[in-house]
Amino acid sequence: MANSLHMERIYYLSLEFYMGRTLQNTMVNLGLQNACDEAIYQLGLDLEELEEIEEDAGLGNGGLGRLAACFLDSMATLGLAAYGYGIRYEFGIFNQKIINGWQVEEADDWLRYGNPWEKARPEYMLPVHFYGRVEHTADGVKWLDTQVVLAMPYDTPVPGYKNNTVNTMRLWSAKAPNDFNLQEFNVGDYIEAVLDRNLAENISRVLYPNDNFFEGKELRLKQEYFVVAATLQDIIRRFKSSKFGCRDPVRTCFETFPDKVAIQLNDTHPALSIPELMRILVDVEKVDWDKAWEITKKTCAYTNHTVLPEALERWPVTMFEKLLPRHLEIIYAVNQKHLDNVAAMFPGDVDRLRRMSVIEEGDCKRINMAHLCVIGSHAVNGVARIHSEIVKQSVFKDFYELEPEKFQNKTNGITPRRWLLLCNPGLAEVIVEKIGEDFLTDLSQLKKLLPLVNDEAFIRDVAKVKQENKLKFSAFLEKEYKVKINPSSMFDVHVKRIHEYKRQLLNCLHIITLYNRIRKDPSKSFVPRTVMIGGKAAPGYHMAKMIIKLVTSIGDVVNQDPIVGDRLKVIFLENYRVSFAEKVIPSADLSQQISTAGTEASGTGNMKFMLNGALTIGTMDGANVEMAEEAGEENLFIFGMRVDDVEALDKKGYNAKEYYDRIPELKQVMDQISSGYFSPKDPDCFKDVVNMLMYHDRFKVFADYEAYIECQAKVDQLYRNPKEWTKKVIKNIACSGKFSSDRTITEYAREIWGVEPSDVKIPPPNIPRE
């Protein structure tokens, strides 16, 4: 662990850690890859084959969980004393099978053959309480008659890059206590009582598979409290037992707590940290309420990840009262003080009080977790500049007016170790040849490639690496999908969770338009494309599942059409996950980042493609804005409405039919989809998709159709000139340095946690320390 005892410890709390595989990453960060490769080869084995056997640790849905994984890598590499805390789900994100073009989910039993990277730590097992009742007594508040579940920690090492630092990710697993429900045993139903243990252990059974969508289930609330309660006990134990705390539990002074402990809340999922820390300080440690609130605020910081209203967590008060009665009291008290404060600042503004309350009144009273996070934290950040502005101007506008100094921006980043060195060794090598290897821990050094944009040899080298990556990925696809790929075609890639706001449907409209153009004039010269779309749909998200069916149905028609030949292929990439991303991203020519402006908070896939030599076609949304700023807008394919255009269209009223009537190619495409051209056996198959696009499309697909088609024509035009294309690629790679998670974490450390990163290498274990 990268800490001396006086150092502040960082606790990154997340319900998701999307780690992927660990073997190759560990070898890379320890600088052992070549040695291991050689040793394995000597044994007559192939290291790559061995790596393919490892299951992904898929304990996340997408961006939020993968960001947490990149952050752990950067925190260790920057020598911060940081711990990741989450849940050890027995089943991670489901495996996706495509059967007859439909998504079918399969449980991800990733622990079936054990997990060699984790170490159970039963000596640190802790109790977590649920239900029960609250009693206010002379000597304080008591939470009684609770149901206890034990939290068993499993530690996974997180090695920094070649600095001999190893941090810890601690994931909690739920265990029933031995006396769990043996009341029933007394009545003679011993078997039932033992079987009931599963109820407690279900808490850590499975990851909720929703991305950017709130599902208000009691089991989910239990998971959120479970990780928070166990983690805070662990944090306080560590605080008390180290040099700066006093060992005498009665006399421990919590004054210094915020100087020694920083808690980062990854979205609102661990928001219960705020009332739980208050409960421990006030009820258990007998700290004065106002002092406890000050400590809590100084300790916690909150990262907002989305502006979509359906993603914001709003828990019913009735559910909360049953499960966590004391926490509800604390939230009410915190809210009352907060509203008194607001009323003093804005006298007579009753509507503002309603908007800013943590408790939302209505037919069902709800707790707004985002509001709780904002008032209970000393820092609130968005994850890209444009997103942080939207957070201040709309989502938390009232809160920004109250405490503007609280709001910050921390643009997301990715770790260059996994997302360049590990997944694209060929590209990493040609870069190292030119500028050395220091860029791997200081990605801004990629700027040194700028003078090489016109260097013939370097252009050739970069293009050659891309071609090799495409050949390798083509071979993989042919083996897995039995499709013949044209490796000289443009690899046009759109991989991310399937969601209406990410607009995979806009991509579909372009594919069909292209298909129609080829059929209309087959003798014309077309730039050949292999369009790949991949991603999982939440199991309960009907429209997302229909989108997958549409992609596969378009593929069935296009790929069989002899007129089209190998000029256009459409492939749905099944079971997209971290280890798959590591294969597809290095092979991509074109990266699709086409969300409606103002909906994608940041995106990080966009950064991975940029670093790996793909050009971006995208809207001015999320981190695309900053990518265009770094590389120059002329080096990306930017199209479509900006945020203010979207707002203007909302005011005016978006009418999809206008576009349908005005644009003949769009009308043709929509008529084909609705007439069953792509679903001849079931002509009505896509009626829901058509109906949504025509009459209630929140994300305004048609409004950007024309601009998108025109922009795609520019993509084709540039692709016909490989040298000019590669120059833009080099320019993009050279300007991608800002998007390292090392830069992101350095900003969190300095501006939120108040610690300084260090590049000091701890001496290796075989060298004795002074």
Side-chain angles (χ1 to χ4, degrees):
M1 162 50 90
N3 67 331
S4 43
L5 281 172
H6 62 274
M7 195 168 170
E8 177 168 27
R9 291 184 163 113
I10 316 300
Y11 295 98
Y12 195 84
L13 267 65
S14 180
L15 263 88
E16 302 185 19
F17 286 96
Y18 201 174
M19 303 298 284
R21 291 171 177 164
T22 299
L23 175 60
Q24 195 184 354
N25 186 247
T26 304
M27 293 187 301
V28 163
N29 277 15
L30 267 41
L32 291 172
Q33 212 179 358
N34 293 341
C36 292
D37 211 346
E38 181 57 32
I40 293 288
Y41 177 73
Q42 295 290 336
L43 292 171
L45 296 168
D46 178 0
L47 187 56
E48 238 183 275
E49 266 177 53
L50 205 62
E51 287 162 353
E52 282 301 315
I53 295 169
E54 184 179 357
E55 294 273 359
D56 279 45
L59 309 185
N61 279 286
L64 174 140
R66 183 53 234 173
L67 185 78
C70 283
F71 279 5
L72 292 184
D73 181 87
S74 285
M75 290 186 291
T77 296
L78 291 167
L80 296 172
Y83 301 76
Y85 273 94
I87 294 177
R88 179 181 177 267
Y89 300 106
E90 198 175 320
F91 297 93
I93 188 64
F94 60 86
N95 286 316
Q96 179 192 57
K97 292 265 187 285
I98 302 296
I99 298 175
N100 298 325
W102 297 96
Q103 167 176 302
V104 176
E105 300 87 24
E106 204 175 69
D108 164 40
D109 192 2
W110 72 290
L111 292 169
R112 182 170 34 222
Y113 302 115
N115 171 10
W117 301 108
E118 70 183 7
K119 170 88 179 78
R121 305 299 299 273
E123 67 274 30
Y124 292 116
M125 188 143 64
L126 293 165
V128 175
H129 299 261
F130 294 102
Y131 303 110
R133 60 189 177 82
V134 179
E135 226 174 67
H136 291 258
T137 70
D139 52 334
V141 183
K142 304 264 188 281
W143 182 15
L144 305 167
D145 304 333
T146 57
Q147 208 184 88
V148 176
V149 177
L150 298 176
M152 165 85 82
Y154 286 80
D155 287 357
T156 299
V158 179
Y161 181 68
K162 292 185 177 177
N163 64 351
N164 299 314
T165 293
V166 183
N167 283 352
T168 300
M169 174 177 67
R170 177 163 285 183
L171 301 180
W172 301 103
S173 182
K175 298 275 281 175
N178 274 334
D179 57 358
F180 186 77
N181 266 4
L182 256 71
Q183 303 86 295
E184 265 125 297
F185 173 43
N186 302 333
V187 190
D189 209 342
Y190 163 73
I191 298 288
E192 275 305 305
V194 172
L195 294 182
D196 266 1
R197 295 170 61 89
N198 277 326
L199 270 42
E201 293 171 0
N202 276 336
I203 292 175
S204 57
R205 196 81 66 202
V206 59
L207 169 76
Y208 274 84
N210 305 315
D211 190 68
N212 275 300
F213 183 79
F214 170 59
E215 184 176 5
K217 294 286 202 295
E218 185 177 20
L219 180 60
R220 172 66 173 194
L221 185 56
K222 276 187 174 167
Q223 289 181 339
E224 294 185 355
Y225 182 63
F226 176 73
V227 64
V228 156
T231 300
L232 277 170
Q233 288 180 76
D234 222 24
I235 290 173
I236 286 166
R237 171 189 60 75
R238 208 174 276 127
F239 169 75
K240 284 183 172 181
S241 68
S242 54
K243 297 249 175 78
F244 47 77
C246 158
R247 285 183 181 279
D248 179 355
V250 188
R251 291 222 342 254
T252 301
C253 166
F254 280 87
E255 285 283 334
T256 60
F257 192 75
D259 306 325
K260 301 299 175 189
V261 172
I263 294 174
Q264 191 67 36
L265 307 175
N266 193 27
D267 213 333
T268 56
H269 312 146
L272 289 165
S273 300
I274 291 163
E276 174 67 2
L277 184 51
M278 282 297 284
R279 185 188 71 79
I280 295 168
L281 292 174
V282 174
D283 296 0
V284 182
E285 302 291 344
K286 309 298 182 197
V287 177
D288 164 77
W289 179 280
D290 290 333
K291 186 76 213 152
W293 184 239
E294 189 194 332
I295 291 168
T296 299
K297 280 208 325 194
K298 282 185 178 163
T299 303
C300 297
Y302 159 55
T303 302
N304 172 276
H305 284 273
T306 180
V307 299
L308 296 179
E310 64 267 36
L312 296 176
E313 294 196 296
R314 294 152 63 248
W315 290 104
V317 165
T318 47
M319 183 189 296
F320 222 91
E321 190 168 28
K322 182 175 80 152
L323 193 69
L324 301 167
R326 178 57 181 146
H327 296 76
L328 183 62
E329 289 185 349
I330 291 168
I331 288 168
Y332 271 130
V334 160
N335 189 44
Q336 191 54 58
K337 292 215 168 197
H338 155 66
L339 292 180
D340 291 347
N341 183 25
V342 175
M345 295 275 291
F346 302 93
D349 192 342
V350 184
D351 199 50
R352 182 181 293 263
L353 289 177
R354 182 191 55 74
R355 292 195 309 267
M356 292 183 75
S357 177
V358 176
I359 309 295
E360 295 180 354
E361 301 295 340
D363 44 339
C364 165
K365 273 169 76 160
R366 293 176 178 274
I367 303 171
N368 184 314
M369 300 306 269
H371 288 185
L372 179 62
C373 285
V374 173
I375 67 173
S377 298
H378 68 278
V380 175
N381 72 282
V383 289
R385 195 189 333 132
I386 184 176
H387 167 61
S388 296
E389 284 307 310
I390 293 169
V391 161
K392 295 191 298 196
Q393 307 303 315
S394 75
V395 195
F396 299 136
K397 183 171 189 288
D398 295 313
F399 295 89
Y400 176 65
E401 285 169 7
L402 191 68
E403 307 180 275
E405 66 290 342
K406 226 183 226 193
F407 290 80
Q408 303 189 14
N409 173 54
K410 296 285 169 278
T411 299
N412 283 162
I414 58 172
T415 167
R417 273 75 62 183
R418 184 177 292 263
W419 296 112
L420 179 60
L421 190 53
L422 181 155
C423 71
N424 203 344
L427 181 58
E429 197 179 338
V430 307
I431 296 173
V432 169
E433 274 169 22
K434 293 295 182 190
I435 66 170
E437 51 182 54
D438 286 357
F439 72 93
L440 289 166
T441 49
D442 176 13
L443 206 60
S444 66
Q445 292 194 25
L446 288 175
K447 282 261 186 285
K448 294 180 185 170
L449 295 173
L450 282 174
L452 299 171
V453 166
N454 296 305
D455 181 309
E456 299 284 343
F458 190 61
I459 292 171
R460 247 194 334 272
D461 288 345
V462 170
K464 181 165 173 278
V465 167
K466 179 63 72 180
Q467 203 45 46
E468 285 165 359
N469 290 342
K470 288 172 73 170
L471 283 165
K472 186 172 180 184
F473 190 60
S474 301
F476 168 80
L477 284 181
E478 286 180 28
K479 190 168 112 268
E480 297 291 309
Y481 293 86
K482 316 287 175 242
V483 271
K484 190 84 189 83
I485 304 277
N486 171 3
S488 64
S489 65
M490 182 199 307
F491 282 18
D492 168 344
V493 182
H494 196 179
V495 286
K496 49 187 77 253
R497 284 297 289 258
I498 310 292
H499 202 300
E500 287 159 88
Y501 88 84
K502 293 175 186 282
R503 295 203 297 192
Q504 284 91 355
L505 284 170
L506 183 55
N507 193 349
C508 290
L509 299 184
H510 172 247
I511 296 169
I512 300 171
T513 304
L514 222 47
Y515 170 73
N516 289 336
R517 286 178 181 181
I518 294 170
R519 294 210 18 128
K520 188 178 171 191
D521 192 358
S523 58
K524 203 171 154 222
S525 146
F526 289 91
V527 173
R529 282 197 192 223
T530 304
V531 183
M532 306 179 218
I533 299 177
K536 292 175 181 176
Y541 189 173
H542 170 69
M543 190 53 65
K545 291 188 148 183
M546 289 309 307
I547 292 169
I548 291 174
K549 177 61 174 171
L550 180 61
V551 174
T552 56
S553 302
I554 294 168
D556 289 341
V557 171
V558 171
N559 299 348
Q560 302 305 318
D561 195 320
I563 296 173
V564 174
D566 68 356
R567 290 181 286 191
L568 183 60
K569 286 275 183 273
V570 181
I571 297 171
F572 186 84
L573 301 174
E574 193 176 308
N575 202 29
Y576 181 67
R577 58 199 186 282
V578 175
S579 56
F580 200 153
E582 290 163 8
K583 295 180 173 66
V584 63
I585 291 170
S587 76
D589 291 306
L590 186 67
S591 157
Q592 301 244 17
Q593 309 295 336
I594 58 178
S595 52
T596 311
T599 62
E600 187 73 91
S602 164
T604 47
N606 47 2
M607 302 167 187
K608 292 162 194 168
F609 283 104
M610 183 186 195
L611 181 59
N612 280 278
L615 297 186
T616 302
I617 185 166
T619 49
M620 276 298 202
D621 197 21
N624 296 358
V625 177
E626 288 159 82
M627 285 163 51
E629 187 177 301
E630 294 294 304
E633 213 174 305
E634 70 283 1
N635 292 303
L636 283 77
F637 299 98
I638 298 289
F639 72 93
M641 298 180 290
R642 310 295 212 250
V643 169
D644 43 4
D645 301 318
V646 175
E647 282 170 8
L649 186 52
D650 271 326
K651 271 205 189 77
K652 174 180 156 250
Y654 169 67
N655 178 5
K657 195 148 186 327
E658 282 175 30
Y659 302 90
Y660 172 86
D661 291 333
R662 183 171 58 74
I663 308 164
E665 281 190 306
L666 175 59
K667 181 179 192 301
Q668 182 190 4
V669 169
M670 290 307 295
D671 291 350
Q672 286 169 299
I673 296 171
S674 55
S675 70
Y677 185 97
F678 296 101
S679 52
K681 293 200 175 105
D682 179 7
D684 280 343
C685 184
F686 299 115
K687 67 176 190 313
D688 290 354
V689 178
V690 171
N691 181 48
M692 183 275 289
L693 285 172
M694 294 296 291
Y695 303 109
H696 25 92
D697 175 10
R698 293 166 55 202
F699 302 105
K700 309 179 175 59
V701 171
F702 291 1
D704 274 340
Y705 171 82
E706 264 181 312
Y708 182 55
I709 300 296
E710 277 172 38
C711 195
Q712 285 281 18
K714 291 185 186 142
V715 174
D716 279 344
Q717 194 187 339
L718 186 66
Y719 195 78
R720 290 174 182 276
N721 186 339
K723 189 170 158 184
E724 289 307 310
W725 179 278
T726 306
K727 281 186 185 179
K728 277 205 198 310
V729 164
I730 293 168
K731 184 94 201 239
N732 270 271
I733 296 169
C735 294
S736 64
K738 174 179 179 177
F739 306 105
S740 167
S741 48
D742 297 346
R743 186 267 319 149
T744 310
I745 288 298
T746 299
E747 291 179 12
Y748 274 96
R750 290 181 179 150
E751 297 161 29
I752 295 179
W753 306 327
V755 293
E756 211 26 60
S758 117
D759 53 7
V760 178
K761 292 184 173 45
I762 294 173
N766 56 329
I767 293 174
R769 304 195 197 185
E770 304 74 70

